[in-house]
Amino acid sequence: MVVDSGSDIVWVQCKPCSQCYPQSDPLFDPTISASFSGVSCSSAACDRLAAETSSTSNDSDRCRYEVSYGDGSYTKGTLALETLTFHDSAVVHDVAIGCGHSNKGMFVGAAGLLGLGGGSMSFVGQLGGQAGGAFSYCLVSRRSGSGSGSGKLEFGRGAMPVGATWIPLVRNPRAPSFYYVGLSGLGVGGVRVPVPEDLFRLTELGDGGVVMDTGTAVTRLPGPAYAALRDAFVAQAGDLPRTGSGVSIFDTCYNLNGFVSVRVPTVSFYFSEGPVLTLPANNFLIPVDDGGTFCLAFAASASRLSIIGNVQQQGIQISFDGANGFAGFGPNVC
């Protein structure tokens, strides 16, 4: 399942499937699960779902749901209670999940989505006191070969690492599922980029702000902030050979074919409370083909909202203590 800290609903593709994308594992068949139980429209779980998604409906007293994502992906189906068993043999009973009968999106063969957002319907929210709103993860680098590293996802207060750098979470009542953080600026090569902090501020109306999201690949920044970061990077990486054009959403790419190694300027996030997170090069200069083309893995946002995506998070232990309102970085890597 895709781990998504930017949404709440836990769902899997289910038989019978009117529209399903290809997945690696067999489709889940609820008729052969002894622990699967449908949810009625009058249930507390359906009421919570309606309050958080505003997209439920009645159908023969079954609670139906529909969730859409920012990239146009969606899932539609019925809500149910099910037992989830993890590879380490941990078992969680009566988890409200979506049984998706119509699903579309770029989920790359995954069976569904494990929502870890801040709402009550997310997996963390449903764990309640068992986890204390806390979880920690380390996303293994995309460039790690098999056996050269492993990611980790842990739940509960015991997963909160000693020695992490902690920053406060910023609450947005209009988007309670998202984990907002205070970002004051950006840096390239250890030099702060001239970007007004207001570009990253969450307004009283709930617009803008900076979200940390495992379900988004590449970090998005407001147009002026992205342009300033890109221009600073290009200026400091002047000796690297540029390609004649961009690739997909990336407009700053380099032809590194034949290079054994290159020196590139660092990229850093400056957080409002003082900490600075400096990224390893693999987290911002990424290969986009087999011919040695590497691109700066940032893009301009179509709105004031900034999103720190999973490419920038990879290899760094990241923790969320939702109950106490903090996000942490480190101290471990993966």
Side-chain angles (χ1 to χ4, degrees), residues 150-281:
S150 61
K152 181 180 289 188
L153 172 62
E154 295 181 282
F155 299 97
R157 304 226 44 87
M160 297 297 93
V162 176
T165 298
W166 296 96
I167 59 174
L169 291 171
V170 180
R171 302 293 183 185
N172 183 0
R174 292 178 178 267
S177 298
F178 291 155
Y179 296 104
Y180 286 84
V181 294
L183 188 69
S184 63
L186 305 165
V188 174
V191 179
R192 193 149 176 161
V193 176
V195 175
E197 186 172 351
D198 281 351
L199 283 177
F200 305 116
R201 187 164 286 130
L202 181 66
T203 71
E204 292 183 359
L205 296 177
D207 297 323
V210 181
V211 170
M212 294 191 62
D213 181 17
T214 62
T216 297
V218 173
T219 291
R220 305 294 183 117
L221 301 169
Y226 170 69
L229 175 76
R230 176 199 60 206
D231 293 348
F233 185 87
V234 169
Q236 293 192 38
D239 293 338
L240 295 182
R242 293 279 299 274
T243 59
S245 61
V247 178
S248 183
I249 62 170
F250 305 125
D251 62 10
T252 303
C253 300
Y254 296 88
N255 179 10
L256 303 184
N257 186 34
F259 286 80
V260 176
S261 64
V262 295
R263 294 181 63 86
V264 296
T266 58
V267 174
S268 303
F269 293 117
Y270 289 77
F271 292 99
S272 301
E273 298 297 317
V276 178
L277 178 64
T278 298
L279 303 176

Side-chain angles (χ1 to χ4, degrees), residues 3-286:
V3 175
D4 186 11
S5 64
S7 66
D8 287 338
I9 308 301
V10 178
W11 62 269
V12 294
Q13 298 200 111
C14 280
K15 290 184 176 181
C17 211
S18 61
Q19 175 179 306
C20 281
Y21 57 84
Q23 68 175 57
S24 301
D25 296 316
L27 283 174
F28 175 60
D29 185 351
T31 64
I32 58 174
S33 171
S35 53
F36 183 92
S37 174
V39 169
S40 72
C41 293
S42 59
S43 68
C46 196
D47 288 343
R48 290 203 311 274
L49 181 69
E52 293 188 12
T53 67
S54 301
S55 55
T56 59
S57 61
N58 297 335
D59 179 15
S60 303
D61 197 40
R62 290 182 300 173
C63 181
R64 300 189 64 84
Y65 76 93
E66 179 177 345
V67 178
S68 300
Y69 301 96
D71 63 355
S73 304
Y74 64 80
T75 174
K76 304 176 185 178
T78 54
L79 196 67
L81 299 180
E82 182 58 291
T83 296
L84 301 191
T85 303
F86 292 84
H87 278 306
D88 62 359
S89 299
V91 177
V92 185
H93 298 282
D94 295 327
V95 177
I97 69 166
C99 198
H101 301 295
S102 177
N103 318 289
K104 182 180 179 181
M106 299 177 65
F107 297 106
V108 199
L113 190 145
L114 186 70
L116 299 179
S120 65
M121 288 297 291
S122 78
F123 182 67
V124 180
Q126 293 191 61
L127 285 176
Q130 298 179 67
F135 65 99
S136 181
Y137 59 85
C138 198
L139 305 176
V140 68
S141 171
R142 282 174 167 78
R143 300 188 67 190
S144 295
S146 59
S148 63
S150 61
K152 181 180 289 188
L153 172 62
E154 295 181 282
F155 299 97
R157 304 226 44 87
M160 297 297 93
V162 176
T165 298
W166 296 96
I167 59 174
L169 291 171
V170 180
R171 302 293 183 185
N172 183 0
R174 292 178 178 267
S177 298
F178 291 155
Y179 296 104
Y180 286 84
V181 294
L183 188 69
S184 63
L186 305 165
V188 174
V191 179
R192 193 149 176 161
V193 176
V195 175
E197 186 172 351
D198 281 351
L199 283 177
F200 305 116
R201 187 164 286 130
L202 181 66
T203 71
E204 292 183 359
L205 296 177
D207 297 323
V210 181
V211 170
M212 294 191 62
D213 181 17
T214 62
T216 297
V218 173
T219 291
R220 305 294 183 117
L221 301 169
Y226 170 69
L229 175 76
R230 176 199 60 206
D231 293 348
F233 185 87
V234 169
Q236 293 192 38
D239 293 338
L240 295 182
R242 293 279 299 274
T243 59
S245 61
V247 178
S248 183
I249 62 170
F250 305 125
D251 62 10
T252 303
C253 300
Y254 296 88
N255 179 10
L256 303 184
N257 186 34
F259 286 80
V260 176
S261 64
V262 295
R263 294 181 63 86
V264 296
T266 58
V267 174
S268 303
F269 293 117
Y270 289 77
F271 292 99
S272 301
E273 298 297 317
V276 178
L277 178 64
T278 298
L279 303 176
N282 287 344
N283 288 28
F284 58 83
L285 199 62
I286 63 172

